[in-house]
Amino acid sequence: MSYRIETLISKEELAKGIERVAEEINRDYGQKSVHLICIIKGGVFFMTELSKHLNMDVTMDFMAVSSYGSDTVSSGIVKIIKDLDEPIEGRDVIIVEDIVDTGNTMEYLMELLRDRKPSSLKLCTMLDKPSRRLKEVHPDYLGFTIEDKFVVGFGLDYDQKYRNLNYIGAVVFDE
Ligand code: IMP
Ligand code: MG
């Protein structure tokens, strides 16, 4: 099936939104250090851009997860592909994610990380698609709320492609 990609959030809008989120984090944490946990691969572009605007000491770690089961039916079971390198006990942790959709991934992950006793745990997501939510997941920091569209760019992929786009585009299938 042929498709095209329509700009949903321009490069400029995205940059502004990310700066706004960074300012909120700067205001809330002050000089407290933060430990960012980037969910790869999708969260990488957002995390690097966001972290450039943070004023406190920042450390980073990476985690890779994937949903079990078929692509069409979200099972709610999440598999850890790559765990964190360092313990998070006693640290002020912010999870940095590309998009929250059904909420299955984040609900599972936040519960798992909470068990590791961080001093605090917050969720920061570039995009939120609340219309498809199945779990009670509420981002603490949010770039943009979007409609129920399949989006690509700035870390988000369609069949592993388009992560490198410097804007967010919606995939539109031709009739
Ligand atoms: P959730 O568990 O349903 O919230 O799924 C979240 C994950 O699904 C995200 O981290 C993305 O990897 C992927 N995802 C959800 N919506 C989109 C989209 O519109 N484009 C690309 N990936 C998406
Ligand atoms: Mg993801």
Side-chain angles (χ1 to χ4, degrees):
M1 219 195 311
S2 65
Y3 61 88
R4 64 210 143 80
I5 293 168
E6 280 180 1
T7 304
L8 191 68
I9 303 168
S10 71
K11 180 184 163 195
E12 291 76 20
E13 283 176 281
L14 198 52
K16 267 192 218 145
I18 295 173
E19 276 187 49
R20 190 196 71 238
V21 173
E23 277 162 25
E24 285 173 31
I25 296 174
N26 283 331
R27 194 193 56 217
D28 290 356
Y29 288 77
Q31 285 313 304
K32 232 195 242 183
S33 328
V34 296
H35 188 57
L36 304 180
I37 293 182
C38 175
I39 309 304
I40 55 176
K41 307 176 178 97
V44 169
F45 290 70
F46 179 44
M47 190 194 67
T48 54
E49 217 35 56
L50 178 78
S51 63
K52 289 180 206 170
H53 301 284
L54 296 177
N55 298 328
M56 68 289 283
D57 288 337
V58 174
T59 52
M60 298 170 189
D61 205 343
F62 297 84
M63 197 162 188
V65 294
S66 86
S67 288
Y68 258 129
S70 81
D71 287 345
T72 43
V73 185
S74 199
S75 60
I77 302 167
V78 176
K79 182 167 72 166
I80 296 179
I81 311 285
K82 185 222 167 284
D83 206 341
L84 298 172
D85 291 338
E86 294 169 40
I88 57 169
E89 189 172 345
R91 304 175 94 160
D92 291 299
V93 172
I94 304 178
I95 300 174
V96 183
E97 171 67 312
D98 49 6
I99 187 166
V100 180
D101 187 13
T102 63
N104 280 331
T105 311
M106 278 306 119
E107 191 200 56
Y108 176 87
L109 200 66
M110 288 190 81
E111 210 169 295
L112 182 123
L113 294 179
R114 241 178 241 122
D115 283 348
R116 299 185 186 181
K117 311 266 182 295
S119 176
S120 63
L121 181 68
K122 302 271 185 188
L123 171 60
C124 176
T125 185
M126 178 170 70
L127 304 177
D128 190 12
K129 232 193 267 186
S131 55
R132 284 172 36 97
R133 197 73 99 249
L134 298 173
K135 300 283 166 61
E136 282 273 322
V137 173
H138 305 284
D140 299 285
Y141 300 100
L142 167 65
F144 302 86
T145 300
I146 61 164
E147 290 170 50
D148 183 11
K149 287 185 174 167
F150 193 82
V151 290
V152 293
F154 224 79
L156 290 151
D157 73 297
Y158 176 42
D159 215 8
Q160 294 303 322
K161 290 180 292 197
Y162 311 115
R163 293 190 195 276
N164 58 311
L165 300 182
N166 60 11
Y167 61 92
I168 302 291
V171 179
V172 181
F173 292 93
D174 299 321
E175 312 269 306

